[in-house]
Amino acid sequence: MNVKIDPSWKARLTEEFGKEYFLNLIDFVKNEYQTQVVYPPGKEIFRAFDCCDFDAVRVVIIGQDPYHGEGQANGLCFSVRDGMRIPPSLVNIFKEIKVDLDKPIPSSGDLEHWAHQGVLLLNATLTVRASSPGSHQQKGWEIFTDAVIKKISDEKEHVVFLLWGAYAQKKGEIIDRNKHLVLMSAHPSPFSADRGFFGCKHFSKANAYLKSKGLKEVDW
């Protein structure tokens, strides 16, 4: 299976691409793109990996589904294209960064500049049908992204994992806490942000940990 993905990831995930579940997943995804409106655009399905090669990863943020509205999803979790209205969860992320690090709230919701600094913005499910949240769940993407998380946990050290909400926390159970820093809080959604996301100080804590390990801090 020839998957177009950053070479550093391809070298480590080639075995995954040949497994039966992944071949079935690709058949499903191809059919969906041919018959439905699906986000993100096909060339951006693996953008999180293309913007952040394996060796550069020092922070992982785990999301759930891509945004399902027109023009929103850009292959990076919580991120939207430049010029799009910033979604409520991302607004709350920016609010927490402002309080935590005293940084101004940006006008753009495109988080590509985080990815280029080694922040892997990984959704558990990498595609979604328009206006139909969760429509591509349980098709194989979760198995693939679990394999990605395990690969990072096993082969790297001193990575910060930001797990916001019960879904991300369950997905992060496979992370080796002896080698990595795992920070958990409520989800930044307006429905839960005031139950522990606001005030979590994950961004300063992540940078303090990276600095303590002699690694470059992230310019959030």
Side-chain angles (χ1 to χ4, degrees):
M1 185 74 206
N2 184 28
V3 176
K4 292 181 179 177
I5 192 170
D6 175 83
S8 70
W9 289 101
K10 191 165 192 172
R12 290 169 173 86
L13 297 171
T14 296
E15 183 181 344
E16 216 63 32
F17 297 147
K19 292 181 178 178
E20 184 177 6
Y21 87 85
F22 194 85
L23 299 175
N24 292 336
L25 168 64
I26 293 304
D27 285 344
F28 166 77
V29 169
K30 281 182 177 177
N31 183 66
E32 284 284 287
Y33 274 93
Q34 288 166 2
T35 61
Q36 307 290 333
V37 177
V38 178
Y39 302 125
K43 68 181 185 299
E44 295 184 348
I45 293 174
F46 295 107
R47 186 163 174 245
F49 304 92
D50 295 335
C51 289
C52 179
D53 72 49
F54 183 87
D55 295 327
V57 174
R58 51 205 166 110
V59 178
V60 178
I61 300 177
I62 298 176
Q64 193 163 349
D65 255 10
Y67 295 117
H68 56 269
E70 183 179 358
Q72 289 182 297
N74 66 359
L76 309 175
C77 76
F78 291 104
S79 175
V80 289
R81 297 182 187 288
D82 194 24
M84 295 295 297
R85 182 183 175 198
I86 300 176
S89 290
L90 185 53
V91 168
N92 286 340
I93 290 169
F94 287 157
K95 284 180 179 177
E96 175 61 20
I97 291 171
K98 184 178 192 302
V99 172
D100 187 14
L101 298 172
D102 194 27
K103 293 178 72 77
I105 291 178
S107 57
S108 171
D110 190 342
L111 303 180
E112 184 176 345
H113 63 293
W114 289 5
H116 287 315
Q117 297 179 75
V119 181
L120 182 67
L121 296 162
L122 181 68
N123 275 317
T125 303
L126 300 189
T127 55
V128 69
R129 192 183 290 186
S131 305
S132 186
S135 51
H136 286 189
Q137 291 178 4
Q138 307 305 319
K139 302 296 184 183
W141 278 131
E142 295 91 342
I143 301 172
F144 173 71
T145 50
D146 279 352
V148 170
I149 293 166
K150 190 169 190 323
K151 186 70 69 173
I152 295 168
S153 177
D154 290 351
E155 295 192 13
K156 295 182 72 72
E157 59 181 12
H158 309 323
V159 174
V160 182
F161 290 84
L162 304 184
L163 308 182
W164 300 330
Y167 183 91
Q169 288 160 23
K170 182 163 181 55
K171 197 166 179 69
E173 288 174 355
I174 57 176
I175 300 163
D176 184 348
R177 265 75 170 170
N178 295 316
K179 296 168 60 183
H180 307 287
L181 177 65
V182 176
L183 297 175
M184 300 190 292
S185 76
H187 194 277
S189 159
F191 300 109
S192 57
D194 60 357
R195 297 204 297 268
F197 178 76
F198 288 139
C200 70
K201 299 188 180 299
H202 279 184
F203 305 96
S204 60
K205 288 176 180 177
N207 277 351
Y209 176 82
L210 292 170
K211 187 176 182 179
S212 76
K213 301 300 181 183
L215 301 170
K216 191 175 179 184
E217 299 169 75
V218 176
D219 180 9
W220 301 103

